[in-house]
Amino acid sequence: MTTAAATTDLGNAYSGYLDCLADADEYAATEMAIGLLGAGVPAERVLLDLVAPAQAEVGERWARNEWSVAQEHAATHISEQVVAAVSAYARPRPTGGRVVVACMDGEWHALPPRLVSEVLRLRGWQVTFLGASVPAAHLVSYLHRYDAHAVALACALPMRLPYAHRMIEACRRSDVPVVVGGRGFGTDGRWARRLGVPWAPDAPAAAELITDERALRGASPARLAHLADDEYASLVRRRGELIDSAVAELRDRVPAAREYTAAQLDATVSDLGHIVDFLAAAVYVDDASLFAEFVEWLSGILRSRGVPTGAVVLPLEHYAAALRDFPRAARALALGCAALPAAAR
């Protein structure tokens, strides 16, 4: 560990850091990060070129079913501790205004925005990190109490986009400009543009945006005129009904489903709800590709866990029949079905 900690080569340190996460060795991981800092590696590079890519790999290992949820949580906790140690070591002094960083209401992936917070802090901003799942009303109340130069909001899951839009608008009504980031806005930020808000692909880009007040306040208006037809609102109102009827059809057509344990039934209901939520988000931003990408991701998760991809087909067909009078939802469901492997269809 001493050799790894003394190196300034982040490429070599990366594999050792992943080993620390795999072994749940918080002390070794922290020692490695502090060793890099002591060897002259800038704190920002340790955060962005060591901790961030390692956390992305942790997520991929969970998705491939190589790591359990418990392993993923343990690794995430260790990286959170490493970020805290790097911040304490660097101890930057604020020279700029206050930036508030928070996760959307219902968003629990807090490490990526924490990394953004620390990069902003290293670049001289006075940062308040509010953490995971911040209710919009509480965020606005905080903004009224403290003068903020900007708000940075994170969203990892596209199904949270309708809530993200309401949170963005609430901040703007407080006359505080907003920048957003995270995969929930699309890997290229296309759903951020649909919501009319500046998007940053990474922490350095967020720092540059926040520095450029003209860019921060100069986003194009949201393109959501289609919401006037009430399809999104009607779909949300029918969420419970859709899930219940999908469960009933599953039990009718798949005999094994009648013998599900309480835990299996809860997991099934949760999965069916996620399908509806991603579908609703696709309708909200009027982009069927959002739903197709989710279906492709879900089928990959199921395959890695030995669940036939065909298991996705039945709820998609059920929802398509139930929502045949919902044109945007129907297009998204059709594109989602097309995203499945041919054998599953």
Side-chain angles (χ1 to χ4, degrees):
M1 191 57 62
T2 302
T3 302
T7 184
T8 60
D9 186 342
L10 285 167
N12 290 336
Y14 175 74
S15 60
Y17 184 77
L18 275 177
D19 289 342
C20 294
L21 297 183
D23 295 338
D25 192 338
E26 177 181 330
Y27 301 101
T30 304
E31 180 184 335
M32 176 172 287
I34 298 303
L36 288 165
L37 295 171
V41 178
E44 185 171 316
R45 297 270 57 83
V46 174
L47 295 174
L48 298 182
D49 296 339
L50 182 70
V51 179
Q55 186 62 23
E57 176 60 23
V58 167
E60 290 299 320
R61 291 183 182 188
W62 171 83
R64 296 192 298 264
N65 203 31
E66 296 171 8
W67 280 15
S68 68
V69 171
Q71 287 173 295
E72 182 269 329
H73 284 187
T76 300
H77 168 75
I78 291 169
S79 285
E80 288 171 343
Q81 297 303 105
V82 169
V83 171
V86 170
S87 177
Y89 184 97
R91 297 186 65 184
R93 290 184 175 274
T95 57
R98 183 188 300 272
V99 177
V100 177
V101 181
C103 292
M104 302 293 179
D105 193 0
E107 174 61 67
W108 297 97
H109 296 81
L111 183 55
R114 174 71 188 281
L115 289 168
V116 172
S117 294
E118 297 310 324
V119 169
L120 291 173
R121 209 185 309 275
L122 289 167
R123 296 193 178 198
W125 293 99
Q126 180 183 351
V127 179
T128 301
F129 179 59
L130 300 183
S133 190
V134 180
H138 292 225
L139 175 59
V140 170
S141 175
Y142 188 89
L143 295 177
H144 284 161
R145 185 172 181 180
Y146 298 98
D147 183 32
H149 173 80
V151 175
L153 297 176
C155 180
L157 298 174
M159 72 176 184
R160 307 301 302 175
L161 284 172
Y163 303 92
H165 185 220
R166 290 195 280 274
M167 205 161 182
I168 291 162
E169 292 304 308
C171 291
R172 285 176 167 168
R173 285 194 292 272
S174 299
D175 197 33
V176 181
V178 180
V179 59
V180 300
R183 291 186 178 183
F185 293 99
T187 55
D188 59 356
R190 61 189 181 276
W191 300 317
R193 290 190 291 275
R194 185 61 58 91
L195 299 182
V197 61
W199 171 80
D202 51 35
E208 291 171 10
L209 251 178
I210 289 170
T211 302
D212 185 350
E213 190 162 356
R214 177 177 294 183
L216 196 58
R217 293 184 178 272
S220 302
R223 292 175 288 146
L224 299 171
H226 58 277
L227 293 178
D229 67 10
D230 210 37
E231 180 174 337
Y232 167 76
S234 298
L235 176 55
V236 171
R237 282 196 295 270
R238 292 187 59 182
R239 183 181 187 273
E241 169 199 333
L242 288 166
I243 295 170
D244 289 345
S245 61
V247 170
E249 182 170 3
L250 180 67
R251 285 175 162 167
D252 183 55
R253 294 179 57 179
V254 182
R258 300 168 199 162
E259 308 301 324
Y260 277 0
T261 65
Q264 288 174 314
L265 182 59
D266 284 347
T268 299
V269 169
S270 178
D271 289 343
L272 292 170
H274 280 139
I275 293 173
V276 176
D277 292 339
F278 273 90
L279 179 61
V283 170
Y284 193 88
V285 296
D286 194 19
D287 188 347
S289 71
L290 185 158
F291 187 71
E293 289 178 12
F294 161 70
V295 170
E296 190 173 3
W297 174 84
L298 178 61
S299 64
I301 294 291
L302 293 176
R303 280 196 306 273
S304 72
R305 286 152 176 77
V307 179
T309 306
V312 183
V313 175
L314 180 58
L316 294 187
E317 289 179 343
H318 176 83
Y319 289 149
L323 298 170
R324 56 183 175 274
D325 295 329
F326 289 58
R328 279 192 295 282
R331 285 196 297 272
L333 285 160
L335 196 61
C337 286
L340 292 169
R345 299 197 301 273

